Amino acid sequence: MDLMKDQLSTFRNQLEDFARKHKNDIKKNPVFRAQFHSMCATCGVDPLASNKGFWAELLGIGDFYYELGVQIVDICLATRSHNGGLIDLGELCSLLSKKRRALREPISEDDCRRAISKLEILGSGFEVFTIGKKKMVRSVPTELNKDHNHILEIAQARGYVTIEDVENELNWPSGRAVDSLELLLKEGLAMVDDGHSDGKRRYWFPCIGSMSSDAIDAESEYNL
């Protein structure tokens, strides 16, 4: 046990030396930054645990993620009327990069996930979860169950589903499909389109699509 403690202490000291030597790379290179976080996790060091102390003074890394968190909240609020509080992580990262275009530091999805993990303590519903092949960010306290996740996964193919799509893909009775879709509609995650010649209602999911940065900027200005 003493030997392990000594080895861990040595590793932490080496990690601090590494951080001093590669400070600029950690700040400016998102891939390098993610690898650095991985090394920190190996020895039980969390540079984001406090905004004070050695890591904050050396890297200012806490400020970086707190700033990202504020900007993420701003984007999620600006897009909520469009997507119901559910947005693709890749789209969020893209909008965040455009919002920060005047700044030098590039960001990655890993940076977004770390910033969002700090927002979770606010208890306001912020979290990252997976639906099918997509990682989604939720910014409202709405609880989505497995039925809703299955529907959103089906919708990824075309951006919408019909009741028949859900029944056929999931082998559900009509009542289960309708109840799940209507709840998604009520929560603002879906929009209906009844203007088709086949008479089938389309349930569109804006959170599957994308929203332009110009629209985000305009709505952010309006909200402020």
Side-chain angles (χ1 to χ4, degrees):
M1 182 65 71
D2 290 339
L3 178 60
M4 291 179 64
K5 289 181 179 178
D6 289 340
Q7 289 177 338
L8 186 58
S9 177
T10 299
F11 187 81
R12 286 180 175 173
N13 291 334
Q14 291 175 344
L15 185 64
E16 292 178 5
D17 291 338
F18 178 88
R20 290 189 182 94
K21 182 178 179 180
H22 298 283
K23 177 170 63 175
N24 290 333
D25 290 323
I26 293 171
K27 287 184 176 181
K28 296 178 180 179
N29 188 325
V31 176
F32 197 91
R33 187 161 54 244
Q35 293 171 340
F36 172 72
H37 278 294
S38 179
M39 286 193 300
C40 288
T42 300
C43 66
V45 173
D46 183 3
L48 304 182
S50 172
N51 201 29
K52 299 179 181 180
F54 170 78
W55 296 106
E57 293 174 4
L58 176 64
L59 301 174
I61 202 166
D63 289 333
F64 171 78
Y65 285 104
Y66 296 141
E67 179 183 335
L68 277 189
V70 171
Q71 293 168 341
I72 286 171
V73 170
D74 183 39
I75 291 173
C76 287
L77 289 177
T79 58
R80 188 170 291 176
S81 61
H82 170 76
N83 56 33
L86 197 63
I87 185 171
D88 177 75
L89 177 62
E91 182 188 359
L92 174 61
C93 189
S94 176
L95 292 171
L96 190 56
S97 295
K98 292 175 182 177
K99 187 178 183 68
R100 296 169 53 85
R101 55 182 172 264
L103 303 176
R104 293 182 179 181
E105 300 94 340
I107 58 171
S108 66
E109 290 189 7
D110 182 77
D111 289 328
C112 289
R113 286 196 297 269
R114 292 184 187 280
I116 291 168
S117 71
K118 299 306 172 185
L119 295 174
E120 291 177 5
I121 64 172
L122 299 177
S124 53
F126 280 92
E127 70 165 342
V128 179
F129 63 102
T130 302
I131 297 178
K133 298 180 180 179
K134 286 180 175 287
K135 291 190 179 299
M136 308 294 294
V137 177
R138 188 181 70 177
S139 61
V140 290
T142 302
E143 289 292 337
L144 299 178
N145 60 34
K146 290 183 179 180
D147 284 2
H148 303 140
N149 289 348
H150 287 320
I151 290 174
L152 289 170
E153 186 173 351
I154 296 171
Q156 289 176 11
R158 295 178 296 180
Y160 73 87
V161 296
T162 64
I163 294 175
E164 290 77 7
D165 292 334
V166 175
E167 291 173 354
N168 295 333
E169 289 283 340
L170 301 175
N171 196 26
W172 285 1
S174 177
R176 182 177 179 182
V178 171
D179 288 347
S180 297
L181 286 167
E182 288 300 314
L183 181 58
L184 290 169
L185 180 63
K186 179 182 178 182
E187 294 294 338
L189 297 175
M191 301 172 63
V192 294
D193 178 8
D194 292 325
H196 292 267
S197 57
D198 60 10
K200 294 181 180 179
R201 167 172 285 190
R202 267 75 165 165
Y203 290 83
W204 286 89
F205 295 91
C207 58
I208 304 297
S210 61
M211 190 172 183
S212 70
S213 59
D214 292 339
I216 300 301
D217 292 340
E219 192 158 350
S220 294
E221 265 186 52
Y222 175 78
N223 289 337
L224 291 175

